[in-house]
């Protein structure tokens, strides 16, 4: 059976005032299955909004095709495509009350009054706005407007719902609550969501699969855990979560394991296909995988432990509430970030910038990237 | 009390200062003459111009049905002229709207610089005297004028079209004169229209026609009504266009009023005609405000019910 949504080789260039055209989509291919939550994640200008607008019918492709259940929809105008969109600014009709906004797609499709009222009430109930039908949309808060936009987009039960950064205008607490609600709603309705965001935390929280985009191309496609722990390249590693990237030279390889040396002389043993003798490998580890020990006694930490051990000097330390975020300068390697729960108390009473510290990253927390650090 | 609110006091005095000059000006030069005209319209016309200071309601009677039996029998000619003026003013508003509405959409989609240029071009006619511009229309419309010569040259017609000195010429002239008045309020409401609402409507399955009927038209209605009123009111009282392009054949209320003041020297009757036009325009405005107010009603009702 054909997938719900299939994008084949989508390419789109935009002419700019300066002359050189900008590539928004560069031969991008993607499929979305039934009942799937797919997030398009990337910085602004990465092509995610262009792709969404091409699916909804507001943007042409230079080449490529977009198919829904095996049928191309490129020739169909926006109103004839079986998708609905939740717009970034909600785009609620200001001259209609909540119920008429929500029932708009039914109204233009000629659904009778009683049936329409029933389905509108149902959709409002689903988004937690039961009884708000008679309100004017201008009286609603941002979060309520967001819910009306959502109800309006799902009332006709499209197979595919497109969401264009719908949570970006909400404050942090409301955004987190809406993330959970959206995820539940998507599961409950059995509608596939294609969600656009530049917020990596949002993408990791909600998605079944994440598509990381940059320069109109897919940088990586996979479940959130893969994106976070096993990024394909330096762009993904830097864009999703905080990361430390360290270049290491592969000295030798025996069987599954290779011996690597990082700048400054520290050595470690890692396994994997990407450890090839003679070339440089880029190692990624997250700040939270770094353990930090302080004091002069720690400077000569035992080199035998599996993983990467480094010595450096603390340059900055800040308290974020749940954690301490440290920045440590390691000679030859550069500044590294570490997030620790508790600062190991040294005899002098605490860690101060300038003190020598020892870092350790276990082998299991080190991921080898495909390419060099960009 | 006010001494403890120096900021509020200062704001109020600044406001009063700003309003003083226009208030004074309008009181002396607008309300004064208007009041005078209102009084004149109820006075008896003097035999050789001027007024007799006695109450006299027959100027209005001459318009509405109880003429001064010493001089004439009632003739509804003034009502007919008034109704014809209303029809011509409505036609003018309609054609202005027909021309300006698509143009406003077109301009609103241009880049910033092209937009300002277009808005400048729209106001450009104001830089040239109205009389000069209307005489240009005489040259265009007369039997030996450019338009007729062009059509004859093409072989489309044998004899020149009778355009000048007809109601058609008057409407053409008034549409030409009042297009900027229609365009600007219309443009303001079209410009405000959020393009994402049109996309949202299409996304929700509405055809272009449905989107126009259900989203574009209701949201630009204030501009349509506003522009129409701003064109309708001066068209109704206009006398320059009909006297230049309508000749002696097309008399509008404006010409009638002008004649009463300048030729017939019957100031009370001229004033009564003027008051009638003003009253009907005011009535129209009241209806308009009521119509607009009705839209806001549901929201206001909810607010008050929440408050209580």
């Amino acid at each position: 059976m054909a997938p719900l949504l299939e994008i084949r080789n989508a390419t789109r260039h935009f002419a700019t005032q300066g002359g050189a055209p900008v590539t928004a989509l560069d031969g991008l291919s993607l499929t979305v299955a039934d009942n799937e939550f797919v997030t398009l994640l990337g910085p602004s200008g990465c092509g995610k909004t262009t792709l969404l607008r091409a699916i909804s019918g507001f943007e042409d492709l230079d080449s490529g095709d977009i198919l829904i259940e095996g049928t191309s929809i490129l020739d169909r105008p926006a109103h004839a495509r079986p998708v609905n969109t939740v717009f970034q600014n909600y785009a609620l009709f200001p001259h209609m009350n909540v119920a008429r906004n929500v029932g708009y797609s039914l109204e233009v499709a000629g659904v009778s009054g009683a049936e329409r009222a029933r389905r509108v009430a149902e959709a409002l109930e689903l988004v937690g706005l039961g009884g708000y039908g008679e309100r004017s949309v201008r009286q609603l808060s941002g979060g309520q407007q967001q819910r009306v936009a959502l109800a309006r987009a799902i009332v006709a039960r499209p197979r595919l719902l497109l969401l264009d950064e719908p949570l970006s205008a909400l404050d942090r607490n409301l955004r987190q609550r809406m993330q959970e609600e959206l995820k539940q709603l998507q599961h409950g309705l059995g509608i596939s969501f294609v969600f656009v965001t530049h917020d990596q935390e949002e993408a990791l929280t909600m998605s079944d699969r994440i598509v990381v985009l940059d320069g109109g191309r897919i940088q990586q496609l996979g479940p959130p855990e893969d994106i976070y722990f096993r990024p394909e390249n330096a762009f993904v590693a830097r864009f999703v979560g905080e990361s430390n990237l360290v270049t290491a030279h592969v000295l030798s390889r025996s069987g599954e394991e290779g011996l690597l040396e990082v700048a400054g002389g520290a050595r470690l043993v890692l396994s994997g296909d990407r450890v090839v003798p003679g070339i440089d490998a880029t190692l990624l580890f997250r700040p939270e995988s770094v353990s930090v020990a302080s004091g002069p006694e720690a400077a000569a930490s035992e080199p035998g432990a599996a993983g990467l051990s480094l010595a450096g000097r603390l340059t900055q330390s800040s308290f974020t509430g749940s954690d301490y975020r440290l920045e440590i300068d390691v000679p030859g390697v550069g500044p590294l970030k570490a997030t620790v729960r508790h600062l190991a108390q040294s005899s002098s009473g605490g860690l101060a910038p300038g003190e020598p510290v020892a870092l350790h990253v276990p082998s299991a927390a080190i991921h080898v990237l495909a390419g060099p650090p960009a | 009390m006010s001494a403890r609110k120096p900021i509020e006091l200062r704001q109020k005095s600044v406001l009063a200062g700003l309003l003083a000059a226009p208030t004074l000006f309008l009181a002396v030069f607008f309300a004064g003459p208007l009041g005078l005209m209102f009084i004149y319209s109820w006075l008896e016309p003097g035999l050789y111009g001027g007024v007799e200071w006695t109450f006299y309601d027959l100027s209005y009677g001459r318009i509405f049905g109880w003429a001064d039996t010493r001089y004439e029998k009632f003739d509804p000619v003034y009502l007919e002229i008034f109704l014809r003026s209303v029809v011509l003013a409505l036609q003018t508003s309609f054609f202005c709207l027909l021309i300006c509405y698509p143009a406003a959409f077109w301009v609103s989609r241009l880049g910033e610089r092209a937009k300002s240029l277009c808005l400048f071009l729209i106001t450009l006619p104001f830089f040239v005297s109205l009389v000069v511009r209307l005489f240009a229309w005489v040259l265009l419309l007369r039997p030996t004028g450019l338009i007729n010569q062009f059509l004859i040259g093409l072989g489309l017609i044998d004899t020149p079209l009778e355009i000048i000195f007809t109601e058609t010429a008057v409407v053409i002239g008034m549409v030409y004169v009042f297009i900027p008045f229609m365009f600007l309020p219309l443009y303001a409401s079209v410009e405000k229209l959020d393009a994402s609402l049109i996309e949202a409507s299409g996304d929700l399955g509405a055809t272009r026609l449905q989107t126009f009927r259900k989203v574009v038209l209701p949201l630009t209605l204030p501009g349509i009504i506003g522009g129409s009123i701003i064109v309708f009111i001066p068209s109704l009282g206009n006398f320059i266009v009909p006297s230049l392009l309508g000749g002696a054949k097309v008399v509008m209320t404006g010409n009638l009023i002008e004649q009463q003041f300048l030729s017939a020297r019957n100031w009370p009757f001229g004033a009564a005609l003027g008051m009638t036009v003003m009253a009907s325009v005011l009535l129209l405005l009241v209806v308009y405000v009521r119509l607009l107010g009705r839209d806001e009603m549901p929201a206001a009702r909810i607010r008050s019910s929440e408050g209580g």
Side-chain angles (χ1 to χ4, degrees), chain A residues 102-113:
Chain A
V102 174
Y104 189 80
S105 57
L106 305 175
E107 183 184 327
V108 296
V111 175
S112 75

Side-chain angles (χ1 to χ4, degrees), chain A residues 52 55-56 58 78-79 81-87 105 149-164 191-192 194, chain B residues 200-205:
Chain A
L52 202 74
I55 300 170
S56 55
F58 300 123
H79 66 84
R81 297 190 183 192
V83 298
N84 285 141
T85 306
V86 177
F87 291 84
S105 57
L150 193 62
R152 184 178 71 175
I154 60 173
V155 73
R157 294 297 156 95
R159 299 290 306 279
L160 182 62
L161 188 68
L162 310 174
L163 301 100
D164 186 4
I191 295 176
S192 293
V194 174
Chain B
S201 174
D203 183 75
L204 292 164

Side-chain angles (χ1 to χ4, degrees), chain B residues 100 122 126 177-186 226-228 230-231 234:
Chain B
C100 291
I122 284 280
F126 293 126
V177 170
F178 291 119
I179 271 184
F181 294 86
M182 175 64 86
F183 185 86
L184 294 175
L186 209 51
S228 302
I230 286 177
V231 171

Side-chain angles (χ1 to χ4, degrees), chain A residues 7-29:
Chain A
I7 291 152
R8 287 186 193 154
N9 264 317
T11 301
R12 177 73 211 247
H13 303 277
F14 288 110
T16 54
Q17 295 266 315
V22 170
T23 305
L25 296 173
D26 189 4
L28 188 147
S29 296

Side-chain angles (χ1 to χ4, degrees), chain B residues 83-124:
Chain B
L83 287 180
R84 174 162 16 142
S85 302
V86 169
V87 170
L88 290 184
L90 283 176
Q91 284 176 349
T92 302
S93 303
F94 177 75
F95 287 114
C96 279
L97 182 64
L98 218 56
I99 293 167
C100 291
Y101 200 50
F105 276 92
W106 185 77
V107 173
S108 74
R109 270 157 187 64
L110 293 175
E112 284 307 315
R113 290 184 55 158
K115 249 185 224 176
S116 337
L117 180 69
C118 281
L119 291 180
F120 170 71
L121 289 178
I122 284 280
T123 54
L124 197 60

